Amino acid sequence: MSNASEEKSNLITKLEEAQSQLLQSKKLASVGQLAAGVAHEINNPIGYVNLNISTISVDLLEIFRLLDLYGAADEVIKNEAAIFEPIQRLKEHLDLEYLKDDIIDALKESNEGISRVTKIVQYLKEFSHVDQQSDWVFADLQSALDTTLNIANNEIKYKASVIREYGEIPKVECIPSQLNQVFLNLIVNAAHAIEKQGTITIRTRVDRDSVIIEVSDDGCGIPEDIQHRIFDPFYTTKQVGEGTGLGLSLSYGIIQNHNGDLSVESEPGKGTTFTIRLPLEQS
């Protein structure tokens, strides 16, 4: 093959990779907008369910007070067998004291459930940053990491404990929704690298005019002979149907778009560390 043909072939390959990344980025933006829309739609019914549970709780407490007062009248009506005996039979059938405790416990659990859903909705809204999809803003990256950890909790909780080693870092000029996607890819990959039970460690620090973010795991590691390929589009070590091979490639592109750097250090059998370096401000 001539040099011209080879250059043309390389250029076509790069264009195809860029097109794939662009399409995937658009999909991610759409997913972010969808997540924010779903979060907004869930907020309304959650609001009135929460209000109704609070109202029912107050009303039931008043009804229980009334029942207690009726109970105090037992001594007065116990000689009226036609009234007293049916009431006693119903009390025994219902096990009134147990019923009251059970209703109170059920309402407490419902309140806790509503609170958890509300938090999940808030995490989704923070994660998607739908109002800032393409806007450069100064963002708290440690807060963004915490939000992403909450979003990825289901992927992590059965596999790893998370250690946060946060330093004091300033806000960083960035597109938050894009960096959230990078954090999510790295954290989920770290969880997938752990076979049974392990640890994911997230560190942040300042290095001169940059912020350093490290995501480490003590999982299976990456073989040395493929480490140079992990940021290539469509390259994946996962089984067919388990991954597209675009997560790390997109992450690399996003960090480059932020004039930063994404690198990896890994030792098979001991774990992997991905390091993000971002400038504090964009030139």
Side-chain angles (χ1 to χ4, degrees):
M1 184 184 290
S2 67
N3 288 338
S5 297
E6 189 175 347
E7 286 178 8
K8 182 179 179 182
S9 177
N10 289 336
L11 180 60
I12 290 171
T13 301
K14 287 180 179 178
L15 284 170
E16 288 174 345
E17 291 173 357
Q19 184 185 35
S20 296
Q21 287 191 344
L22 181 61
L23 287 171
Q24 192 71 3
S25 295
K26 287 182 177 179
K27 286 180 183 177
L28 291 174
S30 298
V31 169
Q33 290 177 328
L34 178 63
V38 169
H40 179 74
E41 290 300 318
I42 291 173
N43 254 346
N44 290 332
I46 287 296
Y48 58 69
V49 169
N50 191 35
L51 180 62
N52 287 343
I53 287 176
S54 298
T55 303
I56 290 169
S57 298
V58 173
D59 291 345
L60 281 172
L61 287 175
E62 293 301 312
I63 291 171
F64 292 159
R65 285 180 59 200
L66 179 62
L67 288 174
D68 289 339
L69 289 174
Y70 280 135
D74 283 354
E75 287 298 316
V76 177
I77 63 169
K78 67 180 181 180
N79 294 324
E80 301 290 334
I83 300 173
F84 182 72
E85 289 177 6
I87 291 174
Q88 291 304 110
R89 283 198 299 270
L90 185 57
K91 276 185 180 180
E92 290 171 7
H93 175 71
L94 293 176
D95 193 352
L96 191 58
E97 290 306 313
Y98 168 79
L99 195 64
K100 286 160 64 175
D101 291 340
D102 194 44
I103 289 172
I104 290 170
D105 289 342
L107 287 169
K108 283 181 181 177
E109 288 178 4
S110 297
N111 272 321
E112 288 172 8
I114 292 295
S115 178
R116 287 176 64 184
V117 172
T118 303
K119 284 180 180 178
I120 291 168
V121 169
Q122 186 59 38
Y123 297 149
L124 274 174
K125 290 174 72 176
E126 290 173 3
F127 180 82
S128 63
H129 283 277
V130 71
D131 296 330
Q132 302 169 353
Q133 281 290 341
S134 58
D135 294 339
W136 291 87
V137 296
F138 282 90
D140 181 346
L141 296 190
Q142 289 176 168
S143 175
L145 283 163
D146 288 338
T147 297
T148 305
L149 284 167
N150 285 320
I151 290 292
N153 184 54
N154 198 55
E155 294 280 351
I156 300 169
K157 62 183 178 181
Y158 301 114
K159 303 286 289 292
S161 55
V162 176
I163 298 174
R164 295 171 174 87
E165 296 180 358
Y166 292 169
E168 290 187 13
I169 64 171
K171 291 185 175 181
V172 174
E173 190 174 10
C174 63
I175 302 176
S177 60
Q178 292 187 5
L179 289 188
N180 280 346
Q181 188 61 49
V182 174
F183 298 155
L184 184 65
N185 283 331
L186 298 184
I187 289 166
V188 169
N189 280 351
H192 288 175
I194 297 168
E195 291 183 7
K196 293 183 179 179
Q197 192 67 35
T199 303
I200 297 171
T201 304
I202 301 176
R203 305 179 187 90
T204 62
R205 68 181 190 276
V206 174
D207 182 21
R208 297 190 293 275
D209 57 352
S210 299
V211 162
I212 308 296
I213 300 158
E214 294 178 356
V215 179
S216 300
D217 65 73
D218 54 5
C220 60
I222 304 169
E224 189 174 348
D225 60 333
I226 66 168
Q227 287 182 23
H228 67 287
R229 296 190 61 195
I230 62 171
F231 296 119
D232 292 351
F234 306 110
Y235 182 78
T236 179
T237 58
K238 295 178 181 178
Q239 298 294 321
V240 175
E242 291 183 2
T244 62
L246 281 170
L248 287 176
S249 174
L250 277 168
S251 297
Y252 190 81
I254 288 169
I255 298 303
Q256 281 193 321
N257 186 49
H258 282 72
N259 296 306
D261 181 62
L262 175 60
S263 59
V264 63
E265 290 182 10
S266 185
E267 188 173 347
K270 292 192 175 179
T272 302
T273 296
F274 284 93
T275 302
I276 301 169
R277 178 183 287 271
L278 291 168
L280 295 176
E281 296 183 21
Q282 297 296 319
S283 57

